[in-house]
């Protein structure tokens, strides 16, 4: 590793830490020649992921292009940069585990799926470009489709969480079976 100040290759690693998401390692280095301190990041070398465009051409996957399109959908919305980065990380991870080539339609569908969970307005913005709405009616249909789905309120707890509902159903079934078995006995 060359020192960014003097260009020397003699350095010493002072500190190493993993990033929050565990995808990279941050190293603090100290140049032995000029005593300058600097930071380097070590990441896994990704395989060459290629995107198959709608016109059947291939191009290398560009994470920055994905992040820019998502950021454009979230423009002037109240989403944190961390939320956007986490979303991009999840999508990239899903794409990389799926194979070396991925159709652009799969990427768009994954982005829409994530956006629908986080922000409906950002979802509509992205969908209007991705699905190429040609007139207002298509846009209105997309809005109505969003309005019909059930929205969980993050501030309100579930009245019957899945585990509790299953336990209650099993207890009721056991109670009924016991009552049928003991029917007529005193």
């Amino acid at each position: 590793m060359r020192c960014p100040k003097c260009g020397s290759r003699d350095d010493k690693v002072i500190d190493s830490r993993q990033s929050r998401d565990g995808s990279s390692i941050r190293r603090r280095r100290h140049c032995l020649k000029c005593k300058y301190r600097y930071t380097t990041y070590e990441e896994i070398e990704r395989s060459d992921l290629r995107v198959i465009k709608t016109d059947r051409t291939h191009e290398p996957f560009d994470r920055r292009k994905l992040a820019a399109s998502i950021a454009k959908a979230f423009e002037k919305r109240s989403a944190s940069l961390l939320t956007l980065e986490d979303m991009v990380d999840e999508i990239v991870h899903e794409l990389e585990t799926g194979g070396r080539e991925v159709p652009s339609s799969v990427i768009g569908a994954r982005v829409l799926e994530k956006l629908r969970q986080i922000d409906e307005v950002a979802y509509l913005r992205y969908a209007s470009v991705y699905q190429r709405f040609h007139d207002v009616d298509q846009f209105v249909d997309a809005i109505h489709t969003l309005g019909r789905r059930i929205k969980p309120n993050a501030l309100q707890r579930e009245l019957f969480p899945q585990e509790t509902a299953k336990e209650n159903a099993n207890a009721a079934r056991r109670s009924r079976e016991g009552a049928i078995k003991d029917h007529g006995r005193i």
Side-chain angles (χ1 to χ4, degrees), residues 92-134:
V92 169
H93 178 70
E94 290 172 6
L95 295 174
E96 287 177 339
T97 56
R100 294 177 55 86
E101 290 187 343
V102 62
S104 60
S105 60
V106 170
I107 297 171
R110 295 254 171 90
V111 170
L112 283 174
E113 182 181 306
K114 300 285 184 189
L115 284 173
R116 182 179 288 164
Q117 297 168 0
I118 297 172
D119 188 328
E120 291 176 343
V121 173
Y123 166 82
L124 285 171
R125 286 178 174 173
Y126 192 88
S128 68
V129 174
Y130 170 71
Q131 294 174 344
R132 295 185 177 141
F133 293 163
H134 295 291

Side-chain angles (χ1 to χ4, degrees), residues 44-50 60-61 95-97 99-101:
I44 296 172
E45 187 174 11
R46 310 270 186 205
S47 65
D48 291 338
L49 187 63
R50 302 202 44 86
F61 175 77
L95 295 174
E96 287 177 339
T97 56
R100 294 177 55 86
E101 290 187 343

Side-chain angles (χ1 to χ4, degrees), residues 61-85:
F61 175 77
D62 187 1
R63 178 191 173 96
R64 288 173 291 173
K65 194 172 176 182
L66 174 66
S69 68
I70 293 171
K72 189 74 172 170
F74 274 108
E75 196 171 90
K76 297 183 181 178
R77 300 294 299 158
S78 62
S80 71
L81 194 57
L82 268 175
T83 304
L84 298 178
E85 277 300 315

Side-chain angles (χ1 to χ4, degrees), residues 27-88:
R27 299 192 194 280
R28 288 291 295 157
R29 295 179 182 267
H30 177 76
C31 177
L32 298 174
K33 185 175 179 185
C34 70
K35 309 294 186 224
Y36 183 70
R37 289 186 179 202
Y38 56 98
T39 303
T40 60
Y41 292 90
E42 180 180 320
E43 291 184 350
I44 296 172
E45 187 174 11
R46 310 270 186 205
S47 65
D48 291 338
L49 187 63
R50 302 202 44 86
V51 178
I52 305 169
K53 306 286 280 183
T54 53
D55 62 356
R56 300 279 184 227
T57 59
H58 291 65
E59 72 176 42
F61 175 77
D62 187 1
R63 178 191 173 96
R64 288 173 291 173
K65 194 172 176 182
L66 174 66
S69 68
I70 293 171
K72 189 74 172 170
F74 274 108
E75 196 171 90
K76 297 183 181 178
R77 300 294 299 158
S78 62
S80 71
L81 194 57
L82 268 175
T83 304
L84 298 178
E85 277 300 315
D86 289 344
M87 185 174 155
V88 171

